[in-house]
């Protein structure tokens, strides 16, 4: 059974810092990995989708990497801003099965 | 519409009442998913639809939960005889196809509170 773990559970950084969020998964036979952002009381916003054949994806200040063999992904946020404060969720897809989510990392960027 | 919509956004009900939660997926998306997010917990998968068919209902927490989808579009999640442990945010997502090669797009969720 696939399990997804996110570390740390919470992170607080000063504005302007670069930071890395970590995601690990137990079964490397995945099709893709998706990073989401969730603001308090809101739904999920998809940030980046990495297919299993890819090693990274970039969108603006966000860069997500995928190392299937080691069961790891990282989300790199450059020059963090207070508006980046949210919970970041990692989810793994394996064929015609539901996404398996981690419990998220709650990020606070302090101005 | 441009995205997935859900209604109501908030629902407060008394223990023992039935509730219906609605999801409108992105037009043309054939796959639809329901998840539950309880306080302090991760997202828990409940059920998915490919068209109007739900091949696997094993994720539903109990037989008080049921879901249907009509016309390959709108879906409703029904919870009968609600219990306090049903309190959670219920999220719906849709994707162009069932395969998880496809990106899932989420709605804003329905926050259910059972008193």
């Amino acid at each position: 059974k696939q399990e997804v773990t996110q570390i740390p559970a919470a992170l607080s950084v000063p504005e302007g810092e670069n930071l890395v969020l970590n995601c690990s998964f137990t079964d490397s036979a995945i099709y893709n990995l998706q990073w989401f952002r969730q603001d308090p009381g809101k739904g999920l916003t998809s940030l980046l989708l990495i297919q299993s054949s890819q090693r990274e994806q970039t969108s603006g200040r966000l860069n997500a990497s995928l190392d299937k063999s080691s069961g790891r992904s990282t989300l790199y946020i450059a020059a963090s801003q207070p508006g980046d404060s949210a919970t970041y969720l990692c989810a793994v897809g394996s064929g015609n099965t539901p996404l398996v989510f981690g419990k998220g990392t709650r990020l606070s960027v302090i101005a | 519409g441009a995205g997935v919509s859900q209604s109501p956004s908030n629902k407060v009900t008394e223990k023992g009442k039935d509730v219906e939660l609605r999801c409108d997926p992105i037009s043309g998306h054939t796959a639809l998913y329901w998840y539950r997010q309880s306080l302090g917990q991760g997202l828990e998968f409940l059920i998915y639809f490919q068209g109007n068919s739900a091949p696997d209902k094993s994720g539903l927490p109990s037989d008080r939960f049921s879901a249907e989808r009509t016309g390959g579009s709108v879906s409703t999640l029904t919870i009968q005889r609600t219990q306090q442990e049903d309190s959670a945010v219920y999220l719906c997502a849709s994707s162009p196809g069932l395969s998880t090669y496809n990106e899932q797009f989420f709605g804003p969720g329905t926050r259910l509170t059972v008193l």
Side-chain angles (χ1 to χ4, degrees):
Chain A
K1 179 185 172 185
Q2 179 73 269
E3 292 183 1
V4 179
T5 303
Q6 291 187 245
I7 294 173
L11 180 64
S12 182
V13 300
E15 181 177 7
E17 272 204 7
N18 303 324
L19 58 101
V20 173
L21 307 181
N22 296 292
C23 172
S24 61
F25 46 94
T26 54
D27 185 350
S28 62
I30 67 169
Y31 280 24
N32 59 29
L33 185 144
Q34 200 166 350
W35 282 93
F36 294 89
R37 167 184 172 139
Q38 185 174 30
D39 293 284
K42 305 290 187 183
L44 276 65
T45 301
S46 179
L47 298 173
L48 290 164
L49 171 68
I50 312 176
Q51 301 293 358
S52 61
S53 58
Q54 298 172 322
R55 293 193 64 85
E56 66 177 345
Q57 282 287 333
T58 298
S59 176
R61 294 183 293 108
L62 305 180
N63 176 276
S65 68
L66 174 63
D67 184 341
K68 262 186 58 174
S69 60
S70 67
R72 293 182 182 180
S73 175
T74 60
L75 178 67
Y76 175 83
I77 302 177
S80 58
Q81 303 170 358
D84 295 330
S85 298
T87 296
Y88 291 81
L89 295 161
C90 163
V92 170
S94 304
N96 291 342
T97 56
L99 290 176
V100 178
F101 284 82
K103 292 188 177 182
T105 294
R106 190 171 65 253
L107 173 66
S108 297
V109 181
I110 312 300
Chain B
V4 178
S5 61
Q6 292 185 246
S7 60
S9 56
N10 281 285
K11 177 70 176 179
V12 180
T13 190
E14 294 179 348
K15 178 181 173 181
K17 302 277 189 179
D18 298 351
V19 295
E20 273 192 3
L21 312 180
R22 177 186 169 111
C23 172
D24 281 272
I26 292 173
S27 178
H29 280 193
T30 60
L32 185 147
Y33 310 81
W34 283 99
Y35 297 85
R36 177 169 75 172
Q37 188 176 35
S38 302
L39 189 63
Q41 302 296 314
L43 268 79
E44 174 189 11
F45 167 75
L46 299 178
I47 192 170
Y48 74 87
F49 289 88
Q50 176 60 21
N52 294 333
S53 174
D56 181 5
K57 300 181 180 179
S58 62
L60 295 175
S62 75
D63 59 9
R64 296 184 295 103
F65 287 71
S66 63
E68 65 175 13
R69 189 180 185 195
T70 55
S73 182
V74 172
S75 176
T76 55
L77 177 69
T78 301
I79 309 173
Q80 295 178 310
R81 304 181 305 280
T82 52
Q83 302 294 313
Q84 288 182 333
E85 61 262 28
D86 299 334
S87 296
V89 176
Y90 290 82
L91 292 163
C92 172
S94 70
S95 66
L98 182 59
S99 169
T100 50
Y101 280 121
N102 294 300
E103 187 174 355
Q104 290 189 23
F105 297 86
F106 280 76
T110 293
R111 180 175 298 278
L112 175 65
T113 304
V114 182
L115 302 177

